[in-house]
Amino acid sequence: MRLHFHGHACFEIEGDEGRILIDPFLSGNPCATVKPEDFTHLDGILVTHGHDDHLGDAIELSKQTGAPIICVFELAHYCKSQGAKTHAMHIGGKHQFPFGLVKLTQALHGSGIISPDGEMIYGGLACGFLIQMEGKWLYYAGDTGLFGDMELIGRRYPIEVAMLPIGDNFVMGVEEAVHASQLLRPKVVIPMHYNTFPVIAQDVGEFLHLLQRRVPESQGKALKPGDLYEV
Ligand code: NI
Ligand code: MN
């Protein structure tokens, strides 16, 4: 399968059974290399939480492609009210979609949605995703702080690729993301959610260096917006 990084925390994953987009923050993303209009076919749009830099263009993309937004119940309710197609789930639950299996994991983060008129709408809990495609497990942590149950996730699922935030301030920083890798024990770690804005500027080289030193069994792979990674 192919992982296509579109900047910030947006990944497009294309497998034998379908194509999905995760946290499609494209309009207003200073490092995105694609536009929402570029997507004509999608089988699922996975959204971790209601913040702008994750919900992004999900609603428009759902209307444009007919793909369901896959997210927690509360956020799904909002997306549906805005005319999107949705598939509501919740943390701990899994569902087999035509493109692959999706399981929602916990994330330590908020999920308020800012409505078009500036009101804060309740979006439920933020989540992460375990995704199984072509028999391989991917872990997309979403926006989260470090939590000890990452060890449980690592013990229960042989993770091929873990996508972890390293930007600090809103999410884990470099140190915590290295510790998270230790708990998750994935073959490959792709850092995300850094350098999009000044407040989340990070030295990705430092992350890769620390990872190599402390978690030699996991390989760090930093992708630039637009990069493709074959799993
Ligand atoms: Ni967030
Ligand atoms: Mn974020």
Side-chain angles (χ1 to χ4, degrees), residues 8-9 23 49 51-54 109 142-143 170-171 193 197 200:
H8 194 53
D23 283 358
H49 64 293
H51 296 165
D52 283 356
D53 59 322
H54 298 266
H109 199 69
D143 276 12
F170 300 109
V171 293
H193 210 279
F197 311 107
I200 57 170

Side-chain angles (χ1 to χ4, degrees), residues 22 37 47 57 65 70 81 101-102 150 182 194 199-200 203:
I22 312 178
E37 307 85 82
V47 178
D57 301 292
T65 62
I70 299 162
S81 77
L101 187 96
V102 175
M150 284 179 175
Q182 229 156 16
Y194 67 98
V199 73
I200 57 170
D203 180 356

Side-chain angles (χ1 to χ4, degrees), residues 43-107:
D43 298 293
I45 302 162
L46 280 61
V47 178
T48 56
H49 64 293
H51 296 165
D52 283 356
D53 59 322
H54 298 266
L55 180 58
D57 301 292
I59 291 164
E60 283 313 310
L61 281 163
S62 171
K63 290 179 188 170
Q64 183 178 309
T65 62
I69 297 177
I70 299 162
C71 61
V72 300
F73 177 82
E74 293 83 356
L75 181 55
H77 176 81
Y78 173 78
C79 294
K80 202 174 169 183
S81 77
Q82 301 300 304
K85 192 172 159 192
T86 59
H87 181 107
M89 296 181 67
H90 232 299
I91 294 166
K94 64 177 181 296
H95 185 80
Q96 181 69 53
F97 291 92
F99 62 81
L101 187 96
V102 175
K103 186 178 172 85
L104 267 57
T105 58
Q106 70 162 325

Side-chain angles (χ1 to χ4, degrees), residues 90-148:
H90 232 299
I91 294 166
K94 64 177 181 296
H95 185 80
Q96 181 69 53
F97 291 92
F99 62 81
L101 187 96
V102 175
K103 186 178 172 85
L104 267 57
T105 58
Q106 70 162 325
L108 299 179
H109 199 69
S111 186
I113 307 152
I114 311 263
S115 74
D117 51 10
E119 292 291 310
M120 182 71 82
I121 298 172
Y122 181 67
L125 296 173
C127 75
F129 295 111
L130 275 161
I131 303 160
Q132 192 187 39
M133 281 170 84
E134 298 179 6
K136 291 174 180 164
W137 286 99
L138 309 174
Y139 174 57
Y140 180 93
D143 276 12
T144 185
L146 178 66
F147 56 90

